[in-house]
Amino acid sequence: MRVYRCLIVDDEDLILQRLEKFFASYGSKYELIGKAYSGQEAIDIASEENPDIVLTDIVMPGMDGIEMIEQMKRKHPNTIFIILTAYSDFEYAKRAIKQNVLEYMIKVPLSSSDVLTALDKASNDITLMEMKEEQLVKLQRSRLEHLHRLRKQVFNELLRGEINAGQIEQLSEELKVERKLEAYNCFLLEFCDYAQFKTAYPAKDQSVLKYAALNIIEETIGNYAKGFSCEISENYILGIVTWTSVSSQSQMEWNAQELGQTIIGNMKSFLKQNCNISFSKTDIGWYTLGDSYRQAREKLADTYYLEDGALLGPSYRTTRDVSHYDRIQEEFRKIVKQLQPNVAPRLLNGNFERIALLANQSKVERERMEKWIRSFLQEVETQVSSWKNGLLGSPMEQLQGLKFTDQLEICSAYVTDSIQYQAASYRPEIVKAKQYIEDYISQKLSLDEIADYTNLTPPYFSSLFKRETGENLIDYINRRKMEKALELLKEKDYTNASLSEALGIFNEKYFCTLFKQHYGHTPQKFRKQFFRN
């Protein structure tokens, strides 16, 4: 049940006490939120408490009741006022009528039934007023929703080429847009995580939030220029902005940047939604809107490589460097080629880093890059499926809607997890032996000393290592030494002799032969090739 918040104002303690006693009996419907002994004190309380009904005396020290009502109505136009006075002066009555005071009552004697009747009349007036306001809000919302739906339909038809610019001019009044579109910028807003948005809210709430977003955008545009917005598709809102006093291209760029940042900030503050925005270059006329929209849409594709809240202004240019496409795919293939159960995951970091660098430089389209990523994950799955412990769960479904950086992180984590999953099930002796090899990789290592470290006989340990890892111990040691040599070569230029000595291999020729067997080049040739790439 609606509870009406009431404030009483009188300079007489006796009257206030009687009114407090009255409200104690009717608190379920009429709540006493405060009492004041003067007009100014009442104004201060009203500013904090926002009362529905004020019962006030007229004659009080300082500000009288009528003057208090005049001032209070400026901030609280919907508050109902009831005057309780010991005077029946006609001049006071006339002033009260002028302020639309609901009741003018003689308070001596004060009748509880009269007060209740006055409060009931006030509460009925409030209810009627709130019903009218609600109906007005619904009507305005209905009209606004109709306008947004009409704009969505008409501008989608224009962008698809089903209607022409002349028809927009004919519908301009109904669409509430300019008949002639002067110099303008088109912008496109994209919700950053629309999948999460759809999951978090039911369909009805999604529609309400979309209309709220459109209103926020249009109010923000109105603070900078003229224009409007409309929903184009589930995840995109189109905006048109015409600048009223722009003297140069640089000023227009600055205005667009400021407007875009403000819209992004308002969407975050009021709707808790991250979004990206891209602007087209300046153009004139409805017939150019299709090209402007395509410009903005193409720019927006680059946000795949940017953080949420990206703003791409009119001067931003999209570039696609196809020269890196083959190199990116080659780096993916190299990772798959190096993928073995015992490879150190950190050795693959360089490949992932090069992929990230090349992809950001070339701005590969999302659809193409996601195709490469999915193909890479399938190849990794094929490779890992032949290992001892088989596959981990596929991360394919996690890729949907993510930025490139996040998708590449998932790929790297999947590779690392797959390798660690294999290592996790080795017998303790094998884990212990591998750690020993890593700790003493720079020294000469032998089967006898490693077997002794694990408290196993050399023949049994050799057989166990082969059975558990699928690799001979000596082959494993040599591979790990070559992988370490590769790491060292990337850090600085070693001579073959110093590099072989650093890894506990004291025959330089044998070391070079091993390195070439693993990487196809001698150490020096490999380093030159690495830096050339």
Side-chain angles (χ1 to χ4, degrees), residues 143 146-147 150-151 154-155 166-180 286:
R143 288 175 177 171
H146 171 73
L147 174 62
L150 180 63
R151 282 178 176 172
V154 170
F155 283 103
Q167 289 167 287
I168 297 293
E169 293 178 3
Q170 293 171 12
L171 291 168
S172 60
E173 186 174 346
E174 193 173 351
L175 292 168
K176 297 192 183 303
V177 299
E178 297 291 328
R179 187 170 184 276
K180 298 291 184 182
W286 289 114

Side-chain angles (χ1 to χ4, degrees), residues 17 55 65 191 206 226 254 271 299 327 345 347 366 387 398 466 478 486:
Q17 289 169 9
L55 297 87
F191 291 95
Q206 289 175 34
K226 294 191 297 183
W254 189 89
L271 297 184
K299 289 181 184 182
R327 292 183 62 191
L347 296 179
R366 174 190 281 268
W387 295 354
Q398 300 174 32
K466 171 74 173 181
N478 286 338
L486 193 66

Side-chain angles (χ1 to χ4, degrees), residues 208-328:
V208 171
L209 288 170
K210 286 278 187 70
Y211 290 131
L214 291 167
N215 291 335
I216 288 170
I217 292 168
E218 293 198 348
E219 285 184 15
T220 309
I221 290 172
N223 293 329
Y224 290 85
K226 294 191 297 183
F228 67 93
S229 63
C230 73
E231 184 183 4
I232 288 297
S233 61
E234 271 196 337
N235 197 25
Y236 296 97
I237 291 176
L238 172 74
I240 301 292
V241 184
T242 55
W243 310 102
T244 51
S245 57
V246 175
S247 58
S248 65
Q249 190 69 20
S250 61
Q251 185 184 352
M252 181 275 297
E253 177 75 26
W254 189 89
N255 287 353
Q257 290 281 347
E258 187 176 20
L259 171 61
Q261 290 291 2
T262 305
I263 291 174
I264 290 171
N266 288 344
M267 294 290 284
K268 178 76 171 176
S269 298
F270 299 122
L271 297 184
K272 312 302 180 192
Q273 294 296 317
N274 288 319
C275 61
N276 304 315
I277 293 180
S278 64
F279 281 84
S280 71
K281 65 180 181 63
T282 306
D283 221 322
I284 298 175
W286 289 114
Y287 69 94
T288 66
L289 183 58
D291 287 339
S292 296
Y293 169 77
R294 283 184 283 276
Q295 285 175 34
R297 187 68 182 260
E298 185 176 348
K299 289 181 184 182
L300 208 53
D302 283 1
T303 60
Y304 176 48
Y305 295 94
L306 305 173
E307 292 183 3
D308 288 349
L311 173 60
L312 308 178
S315 63
Y316 179 88
R317 296 290 177 266
T318 297
T319 56
R320 300 270 184 263
D321 186 355
V322 298
S323 65
H324 293 326
Y325 285 15
D326 288 342
R327 292 183 62 191
I328 293 170

Side-chain angles (χ1 to χ4, degrees), residues 285-523:
W286 289 114
Y287 69 94
T288 66
L289 183 58
D291 287 339
S292 296
Y293 169 77
R294 283 184 283 276
Q295 285 175 34
R297 187 68 182 260
E298 185 176 348
K299 289 181 184 182
L300 208 53
D302 283 1
T303 60
Y304 176 48
Y305 295 94
L306 305 173
E307 292 183 3
D308 288 349
L311 173 60
L312 308 178
S315 63
Y316 179 88
R317 296 290 177 266
T318 297
T319 56
R320 300 270 184 263
D321 186 355
V322 298
S323 65
H324 293 326
Y325 285 15
D326 288 342
R327 292 183 62 191
I328 293 170
Q329 294 178 85
E330 179 60 26
E331 291 296 335
F332 277 127
R333 285 193 288 270
K334 284 180 180 178
I335 295 172
V336 175
K337 189 175 181 180
Q338 296 178 72
L339 197 57
Q340 296 296 331
N342 303 318
V343 71
R346 67 178 183 277
L347 296 179
L348 307 176
N349 290 345
N351 301 97
F352 282 113
E353 288 168 4
R354 283 190 289 278
I355 289 169
L357 178 64
L358 294 169
N360 276 285
Q361 288 175 348
S362 57
K363 294 291 188 294
V364 183
E365 308 95 310
R366 174 190 281 268
E367 185 178 353
R368 186 189 299 270
M369 178 56 76
E370 287 188 343
K371 181 179 178 182
W372 293 346
I373 288 174
R374 291 180 185 281
S375 176
F376 165 73
L377 288 174
Q378 287 172 352
E379 290 182 32
V380 171
E381 287 180 10
T382 300
Q383 180 87 336
V384 173
S385 65
S386 63
W387 295 354
K388 176 183 175 183
N389 292 325
L391 289 168
L392 291 171
S394 172
M396 288 286 192
E397 292 183 1
Q398 300 174 32
L399 302 176
Q400 184 65 35
L402 295 181
K403 302 281 188 178
F404 167 72
T405 304
D406 297 327
Q407 292 178 338
L408 196 63
E409 267 188 31
I410 286 174
C411 292
S412 176
Y414 181 61
V415 168
T416 299
D417 290 347
S418 295
I419 294 168
Q420 292 176 344
Y421 180 60
Q422 299 304 310
S425 64
Y426 290 130
R427 284 182 49 164
E429 297 92 339
I430 302 301
V431 174
K432 189 176 180 181
K434 284 189 171 188
Q435 188 58 55
Y436 183 87
I437 292 167
E438 294 301 314
D439 292 342
Y440 296 98
I441 195 72
S442 61
Q443 299 181 19
K444 185 176 181 180
L445 295 167
S446 69
L447 169 61
D448 288 350
E449 68 177 289
I450 296 172
D452 182 61
Y453 180 72
T454 61
N455 295 315
L456 297 174
T457 63
Y460 179 72
F461 173 76
S462 177
S463 174
L464 178 66
F465 191 93
K466 171 74 173 181
R467 186 170 68 249
E468 286 284 309
T469 68
E471 194 172 14
N472 290 324
L473 176 66
I474 298 304
D475 290 342
Y476 176 80
I477 293 171
N478 286 338
R479 178 170 64 78
R480 286 299 299 124
K481 285 181 179 286
M482 293 307 101
E483 288 169 351
K484 183 65 176 177
L486 193 66
E487 290 182 50
L488 294 172
L489 271 177
K490 290 177 180 179
E491 294 172 3
K492 73 175 198 177
D493 191 9
Y494 286 83
T495 63
N496 291 339
S498 61
L499 191 58
S500 63
E501 188 176 339
L503 292 166
I505 300 174
F506 299 102
N507 185 322
E508 179 184 340
K509 185 177 180 181
Y510 176 63
F511 166 74
C512 290
T513 300
L514 280 176
F515 192 93
K516 190 172 183 180
Q517 285 175 355
H518 279 82
Y519 300 112
H521 297 285
T522 63

Side-chain angles (χ1 to χ4, degrees), residues 154-203:
V154 170
F155 283 103
N156 267 298
E157 289 175 356
L158 176 67
L159 296 175
R160 291 195 299 264
E162 296 171 8
I163 62 174
N164 57 43
Q167 289 167 287
I168 297 293
E169 293 178 3
Q170 293 171 12
L171 291 168
S172 60
E173 186 174 346
E174 193 173 351
L175 292 168
K176 297 192 183 303
V177 299
E178 297 291 328
R179 187 170 184 276
K180 298 291 184 182
L181 187 59
E182 303 298 334
Y184 76 96
N185 291 102
C186 158
F187 71 80
L188 201 58
L189 179 146
E190 170 191 49
F191 291 95
C192 291
D193 194 353
Y194 191 69
Q196 189 276 332
F197 175 80
K198 290 183 72 174
T199 304
Y201 300 101

